Amino acid sequence: MVEWTDFERATIKDIFSKLEYDVVGPATLARCLVVYPWTQRYFGKFGNLYNAAAIAENAMVSKHGTTILHGLDRAVKNMDDIKNTYAELSVLHSEKLHVDPDNFQLLADCLTIVVAGRFGNTFTGEVQAAFQKFLSVVVSSLGRQYH
Amino acid sequence: MSLSDKDKAAVKALWSKIGKSADAIGNDALSRMIVVYPQTKTYFSHWPDVTPGSPHIKAHGKKVMGGIALAVSKIDDLKAGLSDLSEQHAYKLRVDPANFKILNHCILVVISTMFPKDFTPEAHVSLDKFLSGVALALAERYR
């Protein structure tokens, strides 16, 4: 089981309470599709992903980005059992969506960078460490049920 | 994943905005690295003070960013331009190349906190490619 310090718990709850989901979600997914273009392989039905501007304006990308970010809420509410919280989602990503689990880390890195951009210098090294630890548990849990 | 003309232009444009803050970027990136990735402190066991913002970290951050500035000026041939630095890292410093990726990530996070409007997704992809190229050039002489 993952051990969380009081600082880590407080930091994660604080970040997510201040997040504008419908800005950060779309910005994160859009950035991932631009910075790691091979991730576009999973979004063949999303229409125009031709360049960064098109991706930024794409309504399906925005909607999905918001959905993904809200998906993290479950982990925030269940920090002591993220593994089981995401068991079903892990199966879905493996058996139905066929997403290479390496992509979860790419998206997590983009989220870190977008959150850093929004929080500026309040996103200290210690806050970053807590945030990245949280995301690495999420990433690991999402990849857990792959076989 | 080599650098296109568009990438090189993007990197130079971003550097023209952030270059004067290089020392601050270096200090913040290294300070973050030792906090977020504590295993990286193993390379600094010879310093009495490996805490964020310490004089050693500040000085070393400056040195590292000096290397990045050099890389920007040699962007058309990173392998040749960074050959001496590669030799130093390969034979003297022997930093495991996995750590270049770690430091690169910290540099990107710092730039995002300091220059959120300039660090657009397009700037991000070009800078990420550039820093990956720098890491590759630094590892060139390892084996």
Side-chain angles (χ1 to χ4, degrees):
Chain A
M1 207 185 85
V2 182
E3 304 272 340
W4 302 99
T5 65
D6 291 341
F7 174 80
E8 285 164 349
R9 287 181 196 275
T11 297
I12 297 307
K13 292 212 159 18
D14 186 56
I15 289 177
F16 278 86
S17 72
K18 294 185 173 130
L19 271 192
E20 293 148 302
Y21 282 70
D22 50 9
V23 172
V24 171
T28 299
L29 183 57
R31 192 169 282 256
C32 189
L33 295 171
V34 170
V35 178
Y36 309 108
W38 53 94
T39 57
Q40 292 171 25
R41 76 188 305 282
Y42 301 109
F43 302 102
K45 298 198 171 81
F46 273 38
N48 184 4
L49 301 179
Y50 191 58
N51 53 36
I55 290 170
E57 287 159 20
N58 186 308
M60 289 180 83
V61 171
S62 293
K63 184 158 178 267
H64 198 63
T66 307
T67 299
I68 292 174
L69 199 56
H70 276 297
L72 290 178
D73 287 341
R74 266 186 272 178
V76 176
K77 292 193 176 83
N78 291 292
M79 281 176 71
D80 288 313
D81 197 8
I82 295 178
K83 190 170 81 183
N84 283 319
T85 300
Y86 282 144
E88 230 180 273
L89 261 180
S90 178
V91 169
L92 177 82
H93 280 75
S94 164
E95 293 182 5
K96 252 196 100 184
L97 304 175
H98 307 291
V99 176
D100 181 343
D102 285 351
N103 290 282
F104 303 145
Q105 191 56 53
L106 299 181
L107 188 65
D109 286 348
C110 284
L111 180 59
T112 299
I113 280 170
V114 170
V115 167
R118 308 237 9 124
F119 285 71
N121 55 21
T122 64
F123 195 67
T124 62
E126 285 84 356
V127 169
Q128 182 183 344
F131 193 63
Q132 288 193 197
K133 178 175 166 179
F134 172 76
L135 288 179
S136 70
V137 175
V138 168
V139 165
S140 163
S141 303
L142 277 175
R144 199 75 170 54
Q145 306 302 327
Y146 278 62
H147 58 94
Chain B
M1 294 193 251
S2 52
L3 295 171
S4 64
D5 289 339
K6 190 171 160 212
D7 290 321
K8 293 179 191 177
V11 170
K12 287 183 188 161
L14 188 63
W15 188 256
S16 73
K17 294 197 174 101
I18 72 176
K20 37 189 143 16
S21 308
D23 290 357
I25 294 172
N27 181 30
D28 197 345
L30 269 183
S31 297
R32 258 167 218 280
M33 186 184 78
I34 59 176
V35 168
V36 181
Y37 305 95
Q39 70 272 17
T40 57
K41 286 191 290 189
T42 56
Y43 289 100
F44 306 112
S45 52
H46 55 289
W47 289 346
D49 186 3
V50 197
T51 53
S54 73
H56 291 278
I57 295 281
K58 267 205 182 81
H60 199 65
K62 199 170 164 174
K63 210 185 275 187
V64 168
M65 293 310 286
I68 301 287
L70 173 69
V72 175
S73 73
K74 306 279 182 188
I75 201 167
D76 291 317
D77 191 349
L78 289 172
K79 201 165 94 174
L82 298 179
S83 172
D84 286 346
L85 271 176
S86 180
E87 192 159 319
Q88 188 192 22
H89 282 75
Y91 294 107
K92 219 176 132 221
L93 304 172
R94 287 181 283 200
V95 175
D96 189 316
N99 294 288
F100 300 151
K101 199 160 183 239
I102 286 176
L103 182 57
N104 284 345
H105 172 71
C106 291
I107 290 172
L108 293 178
V109 170
V110 169
I111 292 174
S112 185
T113 65
M114 290 172 78
F115 303 95
K117 289 198 173 50
D118 297 304
F119 198 53
T120 60
E122 291 101 314
H124 179 168
V125 63
S126 295
L127 191 64
D128 192 33
K129 284 175 76 175
F130 167 70
L131 289 175
S132 302
V134 170
L136 214 59
L138 275 181
E140 177 66 24
R141 309 288 299 274
Y142 269 57
R143 57 175 175 173

